[in-house]
Amino acid sequence: MEIVGRKKRNMAAWLLGVNNLKIQPFKLPPLGPHDARIRMKAVGICGSDVHYLKEMKLADFIVKEPMVIGHECAGIIEEVGAEVKHLVPGDRVAIEPGISCWRCNLCKEGRYNLCTDMKFFATPPVHGSLANQIVHPADLCFKLPDNVSLEEGAMCEPLSVGVHACRRANIGPETNVLVMGAGPIGLVTLLAARAFGSPRISDCGCR
């Protein structure tokens, strides 16, 4: 962490090129009335981060200019905007990394995860959350119970993938499950299927 005058300079992990990751200053946007400034305490490393690091691309998403990585995250509220009522400094929060437009029909139907104008952490050209601090919409910051650690809070985002898969597949006490792959997402899907009551869960182990 660098010191500039009396202020600490916000730093982040910037992806500059293939296998080229550097800690550099990261200027935060102004805090809006519905925003929160969060001090990051835990950030997971997703497979997408690894793809960007090794290849500078993932499917149709290409890193064309320096980008801050990271999207699985949790932290502590440092400051909130004037209109934020449900959070106060010191709250521990898990952060939803996708900012939808909130205006299209999909968003209005509650299916905002399908918004075609989604701005998702660490998806080019949107910067991610592997930084000392970030500014994010307060509505996308969720308080963590006292018995959930910040590290566990950062895993809420990948866990949500497994929960969503089990809901889509109607997993229950009479459902046998085969998980194709034993990576992090495969493992959290396995745990979610067990929590949904599946009596038999198999893993082919393929990657």
Side-chain angles (χ1 to χ4, degrees):
M1 178 74 70
E2 295 184 35
I3 305 296
V4 179
R6 294 184 179 181
K7 294 184 178 179
K8 291 182 178 181
R9 181 180 295 181
N10 191 49
M11 307 295 282
W14 288 82
L15 179 61
L16 305 178
V18 173
N19 293 325
N20 185 2
L21 194 67
K22 291 187 178 180
I23 305 301
Q24 296 186 155
F26 180 35
K27 185 177 180 180
L28 295 178
L31 185 74
H34 300 282
D35 293 336
R37 181 165 56 86
I38 310 111
R39 180 169 296 280
M40 292 289 93
K41 289 296 185 180
V43 181
I45 301 300
C46 180
S48 62
D49 296 312
V50 177
H51 274 286
Y52 290 132
L53 176 66
K54 292 185 175 181
E55 304 171 16
M56 295 293 283
K57 64 180 181 179
L58 175 62
D60 295 331
F61 297 104
I62 301 173
V63 181
K64 298 180 179 179
E65 56 187 29
M67 180 183 77
V68 177
I69 64 169
H71 65 262
E72 303 169 354
C73 53
I76 298 175
I77 299 293
E78 290 276 305
E79 183 181 5
V80 296
E83 299 298 321
V84 178
K85 307 300 182 187
H86 68 291
L87 297 172
V88 297
D91 282 343
R92 302 159 59 255
V93 295
I95 299 168
E96 186 165 356
I99 306 174
S100 60
C101 75
W102 298 328
R103 295 183 300 274
C104 68
N105 287 336
L106 287 168
C107 285
K108 291 177 180 178
E109 292 170 1
R111 304 169 69 196
Y112 64 92
N113 58 302
L114 301 178
C115 177
T116 57
D117 195 30
M118 177 73 71
K119 294 177 175 61
F120 199 91
F121 278 161
T123 300
V126 181
H127 291 305
S129 58
L130 190 50
N132 294 135
Q133 298 188 38
I134 64 167
V135 170
H136 201 58
D139 284 345
L140 299 177
C141 300
F142 300 89
K143 288 185 186 179
L144 292 172
D146 292 339
N147 63 337
V148 175
S149 70
L150 286 159
E151 290 79 9
E152 290 167 333
M155 293 297 99
C156 286
E157 193 272 344
L159 176 61
S160 71
V161 177
V163 172
H164 182 62
C166 289
R167 286 176 174 170
R168 288 289 300 272
N170 294 318
I171 302 300
E174 297 181 356
T175 312
N176 293 328
V177 174
L178 173 64
V179 178
M180 304 291 286
I185 295 298
L187 293 175
V188 295
T189 302
L190 183 152
L191 293 172
R194 180 175 295 168
F196 272 68
S198 174
R200 183 180 181 186
I201 305 170
S202 302
D203 172 27
C204 74
C206 56
R207 293 179 181 270

